[in-house]
Amino acid sequence: MSQSSRDKAAPPGDSKRHVNNNNVHIMPAYPIDDVVSPFGDAAPNISDSELRETAYEILVGACRSTGVRPLTYIPQSERAERTPAPSLSSAPSLQRSLTSTAASKVKKALGMKSIKKRVSGESVGQGKAKRAVTVGELVRAQMRISEQTDSRIRRALLRIAGSQLGKRIETMVLPLELLQQIKPTDFTSQKEYEAWKKRIFKLLEAGLLMHPHLPLDNTSTDARRLRQIIRGAVERPLETGKNYESMQNLRSVVMSLACRSFDGSISEKCHWAEGFPLNLRIYRILLEACFDVNEPTSVIEEVDEVLELIKKTWEILGVNQMLHNLCFGWILFHRYVSTGQVESDLLFAANNLLMEIEKDAKAAKDADYSKILSSILNTILDWAGQRLRDYHDIFHDDNIDSLETVVSLGVLSATILVEGISQEYRGKKNQVDVAHDRVDTYIRSSLRTAFAQKLKKVNSSKKLSKNQPNHLPVLSILAQDVTELAFDEKTIFSPILKRWHPLAAGVAVATLHSCYGNELRQFVSGITELTPDAIQVLLAADKLEKNLVQIAVEDSVDSEDGGKSIIQEMPPYEAEAAIGNLAKSWINIRVDRLKEWVCRNLQQEVWNARANKESIAPSAVEVLRTIDETMEAFFMLPIPMHSVLLPELISGLDGCLQHYVLKAKSGCGSRNNFIPTMPALTRCTMGSKFGAFKRKEKLHTAQKRKSQVGTTNGDNSFGVPQLCCRINTFQHIRKELEVLEKKTVHQLRSSHSTRTDNITNGIEKRFELSAASSVEAIQQLSEAIAYKVIFHDLSHVLWDGLYVGEVSSSRIEPFLQELEHYLEIISSTVHDRVRTRVITDIMKASFEGFLLVLLAGGPSRAFTHQDSDIIEEDFKFLCDLFWSNGDGLPADLIDKFSTSVRSILPLYHNDTESLIEEFKRLTLESYGSSAKSRLPLPPTSGQWNPTEPNTVLRVLCYRSDETAVKFLKKAYNLPKKL
């Protein structure tokens, strides 16, 4: 920004600045804002005035002034009349005369104006000063330190220098030295002395205990002793003479705490004011001396000399150039805000200093620096964001120059936060444009706010004129106002914002397009037909859209994509689209109504297989009828876009039907819900054929059945007939969907809609969700019925009865009789298209149950070599039940699923020795040479196979044979019972 343009710039928000008759600019009265300090609340028990005196003590001590007389100065206007002072190049810097008339280098570097005026800090109305001005006296006046206090500090420093010749100030704890050297006689009253001494103790507490340079150990005895001394000094005055034991104790503990170092050694340097953030609070007080005490918005012309002195405190305060830039930048920004935002020079300087901070941040590694930097930047960013998110209301023609500085502050802050501090940014450097994104956000936010104000104004005026004839609709008036807003944006704001965002005007009109579009959509959603008002609004919207698109196109001429990205943000305001939205609303209402109906009626459905001759649920009939009626009504709508909206309608109806299927099958269970838990392996008990045990064991097993088999929730709606009704319902849905899809194709081709080819070619897949869910539900429920019947309903004759005790007296006949009864129920209930599948799943489950009885039936079962014929005959009876003399399942289907059982049954014909040898051979093949010394126990895979070691082992476990028992005892020490 040029100097001339900045001279003309008014502060943000100053749209009413005016000039009086004497051509003097009069600043308006601003509400005084303030921002929360990002430095934290360091040493809250020390007031600003107390800390200001401490800062002055550090400054004078750092400069090592030897003068004891009070220093005064005379105004600049009188200084030229006096004889120039002799050269003081060898004198201490505090005594240097302010005779330079050169422009401030600091102000020049920060882009601030230099104003020829009286010497900063001079007293007004006190007559002529009698002595040449010095930098030290200027600083004293700027910091509001009395001459008496200044004299006392200098005398004390002389005493310190005399007692510790050659010792640098940073090797001392200055408050401790002052405590010893300053006496009650240096004060006008004892009360003043006690207050001063109390400040010294608070300072020692803050610098060494509250904010130490290095973290304190919780067990530190020195810290505990210092707290005790400070508390004692409050109750009883501490003797501060050099030879007093109390002073020696204080010095010992203070020096011990102040001279700590990172490596544990004793540091020559004393760290008593370097603790974060105490050091920055003191340093900021020093920097406040750069502002004229009589004109809070002005930086003094002697800022170069003052900063030169202040920098001498860096060693004591642990400040470097980076921290100085940070603090000084914050001071400039805060002074601008806290003084009513009337001096834009301060804001401009803060922005320029922030550019230096951006360079510092990239090299910063100190955690404390990063923490305070992040806090400062977030504060500035929030402040700038509040103004930029509503820049249309804040900035106007007469103060638009200030906008550039505020944007720069916000963008720089955001950039440093992301690029200079964030570690995540390192790998995304080429993907993130912080300035662009930030300004993009400001543009969109401000335009939304401006649009909302326009809308509110139009609505208010509309209420006043609603009884007038031929009044324009609200959205027609709003379209005119938005057009004016867009052209103002293009003319006034976009040229400035384009520095950070090449498509500033395009983004602005895209935002307005979106805002107006939202109102337009709401308007259309509230009408049921195209009225004159609706046509008028749509025409106004079309005209507005053309203006907005034209601005976007002109703004995007030089962009890489030719403005394509911006245009994509501006979906057209077409009448057809508006009509389409009305039709979509019609669709949504009916889909929501159907979804609600599905949920309500499913809760009442009892799944009665005798409700109708098809044995399907009445609720499904109603759902399908509603869907068919909705499709009929859709094609009767007087719209030219049936083919465009049809996918949305079918998708909604498909979702409702899928929801019906999913809810209907939920809670019906699956294989894992019913299959029993396999008991642990045991060996047979010799000398007993279970005669006395049989009855007791069966009772025990029956009592445990609830823990061994899964069950449904006991609801009657989950019985076998009810599950069959559900399967029939899902099959009926599949069949009806095919009919509905063909009917829809015919209706679409008969309509006057365009672009029907793509839709009709793919219509068969449109109800794919509910169709696929129906197929999946049939599969799940078919398996659930099978395992429920075999392992739950017939558990008492299979799992709890088959082959329990004597094999010959507990054969398969009871199981077959009851299973046949269930097969008759299922065959008479289930639809013939899915009947074979259900019966097949029951057969597979019964075969699996038969194997589980043989191989995992628990210690209540034992088989001899002679029982093999009975087992094989029983399995043949089971297969014959499903074949049913040719009226049941096909023989090849039975053979396919009985292969596993038939391959295992021969093991029961083998003698025990053969089984043991076969088991050893298979185990060695599986585990290799490691199994020679001790046979490992093969895991249970559940995949029964005669060549699988675990299967052969289970045959041995249930072999009622002494050889088998001994082998299992020796090899695995298996128990005889659970």
Side-chain angles (χ1 to χ4, degrees):
M1 188 184 297
S2 66
Q3 183 70 35
S4 60
S5 65
R6 286 192 302 100
D7 291 344
K8 294 184 294 181
D14 181 14
S15 61
K16 301 178 182 179
R17 193 174 186 177
H18 58 278
V19 180
N20 66 4
N21 295 332
N22 297 322
N23 269 345
V24 176
H25 285 280
I26 300 174
M27 292 291 181
Y30 288 96
I32 302 300
D33 294 332
D34 204 353
V35 286
V36 178
S37 172
F39 293 91
D41 194 10
N45 61 333
I46 305 179
S47 66
D48 285 345
S49 61
E50 290 177 322
L51 215 56
R52 192 182 306 113
E53 187 172 339
T54 298
Y56 187 71
E57 290 169 350
I58 294 172
L59 177 66
V60 177
C63 295
R64 299 302 296 269
S65 173
T66 56
V68 295
R69 58 190 177 170
L71 302 176
T72 58
Y73 61 94
I74 58 177
Q76 180 77 26
S77 58
E78 297 181 19
R79 192 181 304 147
E81 302 173 4
R82 295 178 176 268
T83 305
S87 175
L88 292 174
S89 58
S90 60
S93 56
L94 277 172
Q95 300 301 324
R96 184 179 304 156
S97 299
L98 293 173
T99 57
S100 173
T101 58
S104 166
K105 293 180 181 179
V106 171
K107 280 194 169 187
K108 183 177 180 182
L110 295 178
M112 302 180 76
K113 299 184 293 289
S114 290
I115 304 173
K116 296 300 181 180
K117 58 181 182 178
R118 63 179 176 81
V119 177
S120 303
E122 69 176 329
S123 301
V124 179
Q126 296 179 356
K128 288 189 176 182
K130 299 179 180 179
R131 194 167 298 172
V133 176
T134 66
V135 180
E137 178 61 12
L138 172 63
V139 172
R140 182 192 67 74
Q142 286 291 105
M143 295 186 69
R144 302 192 291 280
I145 301 296
S146 67
E147 293 185 5
Q148 179 189 20
T149 300
D150 175 66
S151 177
R152 180 174 63 243
I153 293 170
R154 293 176 186 274
R155 285 197 304 270
L157 288 172
L158 276 177
R159 297 169 193 160
I160 293 170
S163 63
Q164 302 190 36
L165 290 174
K167 196 170 184 181
R168 301 192 311 276
I169 190 71
E170 60 269 17
T171 63
M172 308 177 193
V173 177
L174 186 58
L176 182 67
E177 303 301 334
L178 291 174
L179 184 65
Q180 183 172 304
Q181 297 298 338
I182 294 181
K183 308 302 178 185
T185 55
D186 291 320
F187 294 86
T188 57
S189 67
Q190 181 66 26
K191 183 178 179 181
E192 185 181 357
Y193 171 67
E194 293 299 333
W196 173 87
K197 197 159 61 168
K198 185 177 180 181
R199 172 177 67 84
I200 293 295
F201 284 121
K202 286 194 291 185
L203 187 62
L204 289 173
E205 181 182 27
L208 297 176
L209 299 179
M210 295 172 63
H211 306 287
H213 172 62
L214 295 177
L216 285 172
D217 188 348
N218 291 334
T219 61
S220 171
T221 56
D222 289 330
R224 189 165 57 252
R225 286 174 57 202
L226 180 56
R227 289 190 183 95
Q228 290 172 352
I229 292 172
I230 292 174
R231 282 198 300 267
V234 173
E235 299 171 359
R236 182 179 179 183
L238 183 77
E239 295 294 342
T240 58
K242 178 179 180 181
N243 297 323
Y244 281 98
E245 182 182 355
S246 58
M247 190 62 193
Q248 291 174 354
N249 291 338
L250 177 62
R251 178 177 293 277
S252 172
V253 70
V254 166
M255 296 304 291
S256 176
L257 290 170
C259 295
R260 293 179 302 131
S261 61
F262 286 101
D263 57 7
S265 62
I266 298 176
S267 170
E268 180 183 356
K269 180 183 175 183
C270 292
H271 309 280
W272 65 272
E274 293 182 41
F276 174 86
L278 175 65
N279 58 339
L280 298 188
R281 185 181 173 194
I282 296 173
Y283 192 67
R284 282 183 290 126
I285 288 176
L286 288 170
L287 290 177
E288 293 285 353
C290 296
F291 292 92
D292 197 321
V293 291
N294 299 311
E295 296 182 27
T297 60
S298 298
V299 174
I300 58 176
E301 290 302 306
E302 301 82 4
V303 63
D304 297 41
E305 291 91 334
V306 172
L307 285 177
E308 182 184 346
L309 289 187
I310 292 174
K311 288 182 180 182
K312 294 180 182 296
T313 65
W314 284 8
E315 186 73 17
I316 299 174
L317 296 176
V319 174
N320 54 24
Q321 186 65 50
M322 291 169 61
L323 283 172
H324 166 78
N325 290 344
L326 199 57
C327 289
F328 198 31
W330 169 256
I331 291 291
L332 290 167
F333 168 76
H334 182 262
R335 182 58 66 105
Y336 170 76
V337 174
S338 62
T339 55
Q341 306 173 39
V342 295
E343 182 51 74
S344 57
D345 230 21
L346 296 174
L347 192 67
F348 190 78
N351 182 66
N352 284 335
L353 200 50
L354 199 57
M355 295 178 187
E356 294 298 317
I357 294 172
E358 182 181 23
K359 301 173 187 175
D360 295 341
K362 294 177 181 178
K365 297 181 180 179
D366 180 67
D368 285 340
Y369 175 84
S370 297
K371 178 181 178 182
I372 194 65
L373 172 62
S374 177
S375 182
I376 287 176
L377 294 178
N378 276 306
T379 302
I380 295 176
L381 189 59
D382 289 344
W383 176 87
Q386 290 176 7
R387 282 142 187 81
L388 296 175
R389 284 189 289 269
D390 189 16
Y391 62 77
H392 288 86
D393 192 47
I394 301 295
F395 299 93
H396 305 277
D397 289 333
D398 55 350
N399 72 334
I400 193 65
D401 287 330
S402 296
L403 173 64
E404 186 171 5
T405 307
V406 177
V407 175
S408 180
L409 267 177
V411 166
L412 275 172
S413 298
T415 302
I416 299 171
L417 281 170
V418 176
E419 298 181 9
I421 298 177
S422 174
Q423 296 298 320
E424 297 179 3
Y425 175 79
R426 309 297 184 189
K428 303 179 180 179
K429 191 167 184 178
N430 296 327
Q431 306 173 22
V432 179
D433 187 342
V434 180
H436 174 279
D437 294 348
R438 182 63 56 172
V439 172
D440 187 276
T441 301
Y442 294 148
I443 294 173
R444 295 180 190 274
S445 174
S446 187
L447 264 300
R448 290 190 191 102
T449 302
F451 178 86
Q453 293 172 348
K454 295 286 186 183
L455 179 60
K456 183 178 180 181
K457 181 180 178 181
V458 170
N459 284 328
S460 298
S461 61
K462 184 66 178 178
K463 292 178 181 178
L464 298 175
S465 60
K466 64 180 180 180
N467 295 324
Q468 297 178 4
N470 302 323
H471 64 273
L472 289 174
V474 168
L475 290 189
S476 296
I477 301 173
L478 184 62
Q480 297 173 3
D481 291 347
V482 170
T483 300
E484 295 176 5
L485 184 61
F487 282 108
D488 284 346
E489 179 73 22
K490 174 186 175 183
T491 305
I492 300 173
F493 299 107
S494 294
I496 295 173
L497 300 175
K498 208 172 182 69
R499 169 184 165 188
W500 295 278
H501 197 309
L503 300 179
V507 168
V509 296
T511 303
L512 289 174
H513 186 278
S514 175
C515 291
Y516 187 84
N518 291 335
E519 298 301 318
L520 186 63
R521 282 190 292 274
Q522 290 183 28
F523 171 79
V524 172
S525 67
I527 59 175
T528 56
E529 57 184 351
L530 290 179
T531 63
D533 274 3
I535 295 174
Q536 197 169 20
V537 167
L538 290 172
L539 289 175
D542 184 65
K543 182 179 180 181
L544 167 65
E545 183 177 47
K546 290 178 180 177
N547 288 325
L548 297 180
V549 170
Q550 181 63 30
I551 293 174
V553 170
E554 292 174 357
D555 189 54
S556 309
V557 171
D558 299 326
S559 65
E560 294 181 359
D561 65 351
K564 184 178 179 181
S565 59
I566 294 297
I567 298 301
Q568 287 176 344
E569 290 189 45
M570 305 168 69
Y573 300 154
E574 296 178 356
E576 184 176 339
I579 296 172
N581 287 333
L582 289 173
K584 286 181 181 180
S585 176
W586 182 92
I587 291 172
N588 291 335
I589 290 173
R590 278 151 184 80
V591 168
D592 291 342
R593 188 181 300 161
L594 177 59
K595 187 179 296 183
E596 181 183 346
W597 187 95
V598 166
C599 294
R600 184 174 62 253
N601 281 268
L602 269 178
Q603 294 175 353
Q604 303 170 0
E605 184 60 71
V606 295
W607 306 103
N608 182 6
R610 298 180 180 179
N612 46 53
K613 64 180 182 179
E614 294 90 357
S615 296
I616 60 177
S619 58
V621 177
E622 283 300 308
V623 169
L624 291 168
R625 182 185 62 79
T626 303
I627 290 176
D628 183 63
E629 290 177 354
T630 302
M631 296 294 290
E632 290 274 3
F634 171 74
F635 283 106
M636 293 178 65
L637 291 175
I639 57 175
M641 57 198 66
H642 290 106
S643 62
V644 176
L645 296 174
L646 180 60
E648 185 171 342
L649 173 62
I650 293 181
S651 175
L653 298 176
D654 190 24
C656 291
L657 197 53
Q658 182 194 30
H659 179 68
Y660 177 91
V661 174
L662 295 177
K663 291 286 288 184
K665 76 170 185 175
S666 64
C668 294
S670 63
R671 175 185 183 276
N672 293 333
N673 292 116
F674 300 105
I675 197 163
T677 302
M678 286 189 288
L681 290 175
T682 58
R683 56 194 170 93
C684 287
T685 303
M686 295 306 299
S688 171
K689 289 302 290 180
F690 305 96
F693 174 74
K694 176 181 177 184
R695 189 174 191 86
K696 178 180 178 182
E697 181 62 28
K698 288 181 70 175
L699 178 61
H700 175 68
T701 306
Q703 290 172 345
K704 292 177 62 179
R705 183 152 61 91
K706 283 190 176 181
S707 64
Q708 290 182 330
V709 287
T711 61
T712 57
N713 57 18
D715 191 337
N716 289 336
S717 63
F718 293 100
V720 171
Q722 287 76 19
L723 293 177
C724 292
C725 178
R726 293 173 196 254
I727 288 182
N728 290 341
T729 300
F730 300 146
Q731 175 60 27
H732 179 70
I733 289 173
R734 289 182 61 194
K735 182 182 68 175
E736 289 300 310
L737 283 179
E738 295 173 1
V739 176
L740 182 60
E741 287 168 352
K742 293 177 182 178
K743 183 178 179 180
T744 302
V745 171
H746 175 73
Q747 289 174 320
L748 184 61
R749 287 174 176 165
S750 300
S751 69
H752 299 290
S753 182
T754 58
R755 304 189 297 276
T756 62
D757 291 341
N758 293 336
I759 302 297
T760 55
N761 290 339
I763 193 65
E764 293 82 7
K765 300 180 181 179
R766 291 303 179 184
F767 281 92
E768 56 188 5
L769 292 178
S770 51
S773 296
S774 297
V775 172
E776 183 183 344
I778 291 172
Q779 294 172 352
Q780 178 184 326
L781 263 64
S782 176
E783 187 178 77
I785 289 175
Y787 281 88
K788 172 180 167 58
V789 168
I790 299 301
F791 292 104
H792 184 267
D793 295 356
L794 299 182
S795 175
H796 61 288
V797 288
L798 177 68
W799 189 249
D800 298 339
L802 183 61
Y803 302 145
V804 172
E806 289 287 349
V807 172
S808 60
S809 62
S810 56
R811 296 186 63 176
I812 203 169
E813 184 62 28
F815 172 70
L816 295 180
Q817 291 176 357
E818 297 201 27
L819 177 58
E820 185 176 14
H821 172 67
Y822 274 96
L823 292 176
E824 291 173 355
I825 294 174
I826 291 169
S827 296
S828 63
T829 306
V830 175
H831 191 280
D832 55 2
R833 292 287 298 272
V834 291
R835 184 183 303 143
T836 298
R837 177 182 186 88
V838 177
I839 301 297
T840 301
D841 282 343
I842 293 176
M843 179 183 69
K844 288 163 60 179
S846 65
F847 289 171
E848 184 175 346
F850 188 80
L851 276 181
L852 278 175
V853 166
L854 296 179
L855 299 174
S860 63
R861 291 177 172 89
F863 306 100
T864 65
H865 184 266
Q866 292 75 23
D867 293 333
S868 58
D869 291 334
I870 295 176
I871 295 172
E872 194 161 344
E873 185 179 29
D874 281 353
F875 183 67
K876 181 179 181 301
F877 292 155
L878 179 60
C879 292
D880 287 346
L881 174 65
F882 289 101
W883 183 59
S884 188
N885 296 321
D887 294 332
L889 296 176
D892 58 344
L893 190 64
I894 297 173
D895 291 339
K896 175 183 176 182
F897 290 110
S898 64
T899 302
S900 178
V901 181
R902 293 184 189 280
S903 67
I904 291 172
L905 289 182
L907 293 175
Y908 289 85
H909 287 284
N910 295 344
D911 58 60
T912 303
E913 289 78 7
S914 299
L915 285 173
I916 292 173
E917 291 304 318
E918 178 68 6
F919 172 69
K920 289 180 178 179
R921 183 184 67 79
L922 292 174
T923 304
L924 284 171
E925 288 179 1
S926 299
Y927 293 94
S929 58
S930 63
K932 289 183 178 180
S933 58
R934 180 177 177 83
L935 290 173
L937 184 65
T940 301
S941 66
Q943 303 298 320
W944 311 125
N945 192 293
T947 61
E948 194 252 341
N950 185 267
T951 302
V952 179
L953 175 62
R954 287 179 175 275
V955 175
L956 283 170
C957 287
Y958 294 99
R959 176 60 63 91
S960 181
D961 179 274
E962 186 174 355
T963 303
V965 171
K966 288 181 179 180
F967 171 73
L968 295 171
K969 170 71 174 176
K970 180 179 179 181
Y972 301 113
N973 195 27
L974 294 179
K976 294 181 181 180
K977 58 183 179 179
L978 295 176

